[in-house]
Amino acid sequence: MNEKVMVNEKLKCILYTIFSNYNNLSKKIYIVLDDSKNSEKMSEDILKKINQNTPYFIKKILANFNNENDNSVLKLKKSNQYLEIVDKNQNTEGESILLDMSSLDFNDIERKCDYEVKFVVDYIFNLDEIGKSRFFKEVEKTIEKDKSKKDKKEESNNNLDINYLYNICISKYMWKDSNDAAKMENWIYNIINPNRLHSDLLEKMIEIINKELNNLNFDSYLRYILSKEENKSLGYISMSSDLYKLLLFEDMLRIDYSDKCTVKIDLDVEYVGKWWSENILPIFKERYSKKDLIDKLELEIKKNEIVDFHGKNFEKLKNEIINEIEKEYENEKELNEGFESEEKVSLESELKTKKSKSISDLQELIEKTDIKYENNIETLRDYCSDEFIDILENSNNENYSLKDLEQFLEDNKEYFNDKAYIFFEVCVQKQIQKLEQDLLNDICEVKTLKDLKELHDKLLENGEFVKCEDLETIVFRKMETIVKILNLAEINDEENISIANQMYENTSSIELEKYPIAEILICRDINIDLNNVKETIEDLREEVNEIKDTVLKNCMFNCEYYNMNIQINDSENYYTIKFRYIKDLIDYIKLKEGNRLLINLKNIKKTSQYKRRVFNKGNSEIIKEIDNFYSA
């Protein structure tokens, strides 16, 4: 790799980090330089590139620059509020994001980075100077337009989230002057994630797909992704693979957009079988013994058969792969004759006469079958796995719970092979899809948090399977809708708070920061560390601003009367304090801290009296605990 590529990769690492974190800068970004001799020159070069590739509003955030009337050009310096370039031997404060220029792993940072962030950074990075200037002007216009739509009394954030920037890039880019692979990759991402594009751009993209997508570039992209090293593995049909996403893209075009899309693509898959034989079959032969190979090939056929896409191209591709597997399967089968024992013959003969109609029948057969030779357990595994699949496929009158099926497989795991587990996973996915559809239907009738919790608890009866992002996202979006219409008494009601907390504790994929309206109901506990007053006051101020912003943005109740739970120095006592008194609490702590400094430094005795009698009277218990700390 040449030096220019390496330098560009390091710069992109910095930009990926800035664009990933600018909207939530709870940690400072430190760029650490290793070469102290050239650090000044390196700092200048890095700052120049950051300034060239960063919109004005992000620079303002990094520099903590709040003067709306100052129209002068803002340039980031070596040391800013949230971004600093330091030498290796310099100390970095508190929790921070460290970018060590001597050991940056571009692939690791790029892999962890959101698609939208990479797209925006790469788009800006590849523009010339005039293009960057025009793009940044477009960003500022969007911010101004956004501000003008808001009420004059409402404070504006004066910034855009990454999805807005992504949409601005797309509106400029519109899939012009890019190769088929780049177009297809972006189209696939936006069709699979339709909420990433604004509705007008999504419509326009579908129109462009209609005009430009044809057999040639679809087939070309399939060849491209099958040639990529990461697709040459046994996971080539897994949900994370490019092949899976391409097939899902075709599937969604045919179904979800059938009223808007007239795309017709007829894939030529003659080369797919050859690709499978050359790239996947050697992995099987290397990984498994001849004795196990037949079972693994059978499993691979089952795996391909289970995946369900409506697009006809998948059927063609799947059948081509299955044909190649069956060829190899027959070859291996001929080589593995003659391994039967008397027990195996007897077992096979006995199993032919058995037919399990239910899971309890299968459990009884497992308990009664005695096998002395370990090698023959495979015969029973095959039988039990096939019976398990047949029972579930034909269980019209009996609805087995996922929890019970999982326990059954766990209790008898030595009697089942991968086919049963893969089929069980398919059952789980289908059940989750059904639960999601039922949830979307049922949730429309939900009006209160109590009803929402009952619906959530009903979901949880299916076990840990339902703790997935899609289902939990639906529940928490509904929670936010309900919270928006709560009045002040309801938002402070202990039962509502308890319900919201229980629902959050029973989730696994939700990051509460993404649901600020739900967060103001759930997270209201603040610990005040009087041993570290400066940081405590900053935390309190951030909490106040966050609640104010959330309440104002969503036209909710008067936040002055919102209850906060305050804990002093991790004591067991919690004090309820109205939101309107947080500033008074900050002032009171600052006053007590100032008096302590006077006593310590000048030996001057001074009693502190706070003028806000209403605050003093209503919050006497918390004031008493603060006083006790400072009098100790």
Side-chain angles (χ1 to χ4, degrees):
M1 186 182 293
N2 64 47
E3 188 175 345
K4 185 177 180 182
V5 172
M6 291 176 67
V7 169
N8 284 344
E9 284 190 352
K10 288 185 176 182
L11 288 167
K12 279 190 179 182
C13 285
I14 295 170
L15 293 170
Y16 286 158
T17 305
I18 290 172
F19 278 75
S20 294
N21 293 280
Y22 76 84
N23 223 9
N24 183 27
L25 279 170
S26 57
K27 298 179 180 178
K28 187 168 183 176
I29 300 171
Y30 286 97
I31 300 169
V32 183
L33 303 182
D34 187 33
D35 189 350
S36 56
K37 293 180 182 178
N38 298 315
S39 63
E40 285 304 316
K41 177 68 169 62
M42 289 175 69
S43 296
E44 289 175 11
D45 291 343
I46 290 170
L47 283 168
K48 181 180 177 182
K49 283 295 182 182
I50 294 175
N51 281 308
Q52 284 176 343
N53 292 280
T54 311
Y56 181 70
F57 83 88
I58 295 183
K59 293 176 195 171
K60 285 172 64 178
I61 294 170
L62 295 174
N64 199 20
F65 181 75
N66 296 313
N67 189 344
E68 291 295 327
N69 299 318
D70 190 339
N71 294 319
S72 60
V73 176
L74 175 65
K75 292 283 187 183
L76 292 173
K77 300 176 182 177
K78 186 173 180 180
S79 178
N80 308 279
Q81 179 75 21
Y82 293 110
L83 175 73
E84 187 170 349
I85 301 177
V86 298
D87 292 331
K88 201 130 190 171
N89 56 356
Q90 284 182 249
N91 291 326
T92 53
E93 301 173 358
E95 286 193 59
S96 55
I97 300 170
L98 297 179
L99 294 174
D100 190 336
M101 299 300 285
S102 65
S103 59
L104 281 181
D105 186 338
F106 175 76
N107 292 328
D108 182 57
I109 292 177
E110 185 186 40
R111 185 172 61 254
K112 293 176 181 175
C113 191
D114 288 345
Y115 180 88
E116 289 83 3
V117 170
K118 287 190 289 185
F119 190 92
V120 170
V121 169
D122 292 348
Y123 176 80
I124 296 172
F125 200 82
N126 291 326
L127 292 173
D128 58 24
E129 291 307 309
I130 296 174
K132 291 183 204 289
S133 176
R134 287 176 179 168
F135 176 75
F136 294 150
K137 283 179 183 177
E138 182 71 21
V139 169
E140 291 303 316
K141 280 182 185 177
T142 304
I143 291 174
E144 290 302 317
K145 194 184 296 182
D146 185 52
K147 283 169 61 180
S148 66
K149 288 179 183 177
K150 296 182 178 180
D151 188 78
K152 290 180 181 178
K153 294 180 182 178
E154 185 180 356
E155 292 183 15
S156 172
N157 259 350
N158 291 347
N159 60 56
L160 302 174
D161 65 27
I162 194 65
N163 206 52
Y164 264 94
L165 288 174
Y166 175 66
N167 274 269
I168 294 172
C169 290
I170 291 286
S171 67
K172 297 295 176 190
Y173 166 67
M174 291 303 288
W175 305 280
K176 296 173 185 174
D177 304 323
S178 61
N179 58 39
D180 285 345
K183 284 182 185 178
M184 289 292 294
E185 186 176 336
N186 191 257
W187 287 344
I188 288 170
Y189 178 80
N190 291 317
I191 288 292
I192 296 174
N193 303 281
N195 58 326
R196 298 296 191 266
L197 280 188
H198 296 161
S199 57
D200 58 333
L201 280 177
L202 184 60
E203 293 282 344
K204 188 157 280 189
M205 184 184 73
I206 293 170
E207 288 177 15
I208 293 171
I209 288 173
N210 261 322
K211 290 176 184 176
E212 295 191 11
L213 187 59
N214 54 48
N215 291 358
L216 185 62
N217 56 18
F218 193 89
D219 185 76
S220 170
Y221 187 66
L222 177 64
R223 291 173 185 267
Y224 164 70
I225 61 177
L226 291 182
S227 69
K228 291 169 71 176
E229 196 62 36
E230 57 265 33
N231 285 292
K232 295 177 182 178
S233 69
L234 294 181
Y236 63 94
I237 199 66
S238 69
M239 292 178 71
S240 61
S241 72
D242 289 333
L243 177 58
Y244 185 96
K245 291 171 186 172
L246 177 66
L247 296 167
L248 183 60
F249 167 72
E250 184 210 357
D251 200 48
M252 292 179 76
L253 278 183
R254 290 178 180 275
I255 297 167
D256 292 355
Y257 302 100
S258 56
D259 56 336
K260 300 171 187 172
C261 244
T262 57
V263 175
K264 292 182 180 178
I265 38 182
D266 188 16
L267 194 63
D268 177 12
V269 294
E270 289 183 1
Y271 65 92
V272 173
K274 185 179 178 184
W275 169 83
W276 189 90
S277 296
E278 290 178 353
N279 295 286
I280 307 300
L281 181 58
I283 299 175
F284 276 97
K285 290 187 171 180
E286 181 182 342
R287 191 172 293 184
Y288 306 113
S289 66
K290 287 186 178 181
K291 189 176 177 183
D292 294 331
L293 188 57
I294 292 174
D295 290 335
K296 296 303 176 181
L297 291 171
E298 279 184 322
L299 176 61
E300 195 71 1
I301 291 173
K302 195 72 179 177
K303 192 166 75 173
N304 279 275
E305 288 174 339
I306 284 172
V307 179
D308 181 25
F309 288 125
H310 297 84
K312 64 179 181 179
N313 282 315
F314 174 64
E315 288 301 314
K316 293 172 67 177
L317 183 144
K318 176 177 75 174
N319 291 336
E320 194 72 25
I321 292 174
I322 289 174
N323 287 339
E324 286 299 314
I325 296 172
E326 286 178 338
K327 281 183 199 173
E328 187 62 29
Y329 171 79
E330 290 301 322
N331 291 338
E332 291 298 326
K333 193 174 179 183
E334 291 176 12
L335 295 173
N336 283 281
E337 292 178 350
F339 291 96
E340 307 243 341
S341 66
E342 289 185 8
E343 185 184 67
K344 183 174 182 179
V345 171
S346 173
L347 179 62
E348 287 178 338
S349 176
E350 184 181 352
L351 291 177
K352 282 180 182 178
T353 65
K354 304 286 185 181
K355 183 64 182 174
S356 301
K357 295 181 179 178
S358 66
I359 295 296
S360 57
D361 287 350
L362 189 56
Q363 177 70 62
E364 185 178 350
L365 182 141
I366 289 171
E367 291 171 356
K368 287 184 176 179
T369 303
D370 181 30
I371 296 178
K372 295 178 181 177
Y373 300 95
E374 189 175 342
N375 287 342
N376 285 332
I377 195 72
E378 286 297 327
T379 302
L380 185 58
R381 280 198 193 108
D382 288 342
Y383 171 83
C384 290
S385 299
D386 290 338
E387 287 293 286
F388 178 80
I389 292 169
D390 287 341
I391 289 167
L392 293 185
E393 283 183 331
N394 299 296
S395 59
N396 297 325
N397 299 323
E398 189 163 359
N399 188 19
Y400 297 102
S401 77
L402 296 177
K403 208 184 246 184
D404 292 343
L405 290 174
E406 183 188 47
Q407 190 60 52
F408 172 71
L409 289 173
E410 178 61 26
D411 292 343
N412 302 284
K413 55 189 174 185
E414 63 181 300
Y415 300 107
F416 293 97
N417 60 31
D418 290 347
K419 283 194 291 185
Y421 287 101
I422 287 175
F423 188 82
F424 175 65
E425 286 301 318
V426 172
C427 292
V428 169
Q429 291 305 315
K430 287 182 177 178
Q431 179 68 5
I432 287 175
Q433 288 175 6
K434 182 179 181 302
L435 287 170
E436 183 174 349
Q437 189 57 55
D438 291 345
L439 178 59
L440 287 169
N441 294 332
D442 294 342
I443 211 161
C444 296
E445 304 300 319
V446 170
K447 306 297 181 188
T448 67
L449 287 172
K450 186 176 180 182
D451 291 340
L452 184 62
K453 182 181 180 298
E454 288 176 1
L455 185 59
H456 193 228
D457 289 344
K458 187 178 174 183
L459 278 177
L460 293 173
E461 290 173 5
N462 291 276
E464 290 293 317
F465 306 104
V466 299
K467 289 192 175 182
C468 62
E469 187 173 357
D470 290 343
L471 291 172
E472 293 181 340
T473 296
I474 294 169
V475 170
F476 268 76
R477 282 178 180 164
K478 185 65 178 183
M479 182 191 286
E480 292 213 306
T481 302
I482 294 171
V483 173
K484 279 184 182 180
I485 61 173
L486 295 180
N487 60 39
L488 185 63
E490 291 167 327
I491 207 76
N492 283 329
D493 183 75
E494 289 298 325
E495 184 179 2
N496 282 335
I497 295 168
S498 174
I499 288 172
N501 273 293
Q502 287 174 46
M503 290 176 67
Y504 180 57
E505 288 167 3
N506 281 326
T507 62
S508 61
S509 66
I510 292 299
E511 295 176 17
L512 201 53
E513 310 87 80
K514 294 181 181 178
Y515 300 88
I517 302 167
E519 190 174 12
I520 67 167
L521 180 62
I522 296 171
C523 296
R524 53 180 64 216
D525 297 339
I526 295 180
N527 180 55
I528 296 176
D529 180 9
L530 295 177
N531 294 302
N532 191 354
V533 171
K534 184 179 178 183
E535 187 173 329
T536 291
I537 289 175
E538 286 303 315
D539 288 346
L540 273 170
R541 283 176 176 153
E542 286 178 13
E543 190 79 9
V544 168
N545 291 337
E546 188 173 338
I547 292 170
K548 276 184 179 177
D549 288 346
T550 302
V551 169
L552 286 170
K553 281 178 189 173
N554 294 280
C555 303
M556 295 173 72
F557 51 80
N558 184 347
C559 62
E560 284 193 356
Y561 298 95
Y562 174 71
N563 287 342
M564 302 290 290
N565 298 323
I566 306 294
Q567 186 184 26
I568 306 292
N569 290 349
D570 289 320
S571 70
E572 295 180 357
N573 301 322
Y574 274 87
Y575 304 96
T576 301
I577 181 171
K578 298 293 183 192
F579 187 86
R580 65 189 297 187
Y581 295 128
I582 295 290
K583 186 177 182 303
D584 297 319
L585 182 63
I586 292 172
D587 290 341
Y588 191 81
I589 293 172
K590 287 168 69 178
L591 180 64
K592 298 296 288 188
E593 185 75 3
N595 287 341
R596 182 169 72 169
L597 289 173
L598 287 171
I599 291 167
N600 290 344
L601 297 175
K602 299 182 180 179
N603 200 23
I604 298 175
K605 291 186 179 181
K606 182 178 178 182
T607 58
S608 61
Q609 292 183 348
Y610 193 67
K611 295 179 181 179
R612 292 296 299 275
R613 293 181 181 176
V614 178
F615 166 71
N616 290 355
K617 184 178 179 182
N619 299 285
S620 57
E621 292 299 317
I622 190 171
I623 289 172
K624 188 185 295 183
E625 184 157 348
I626 293 170
D627 288 344
N628 288 341
F629 172 83
Y630 282 100
S631 63

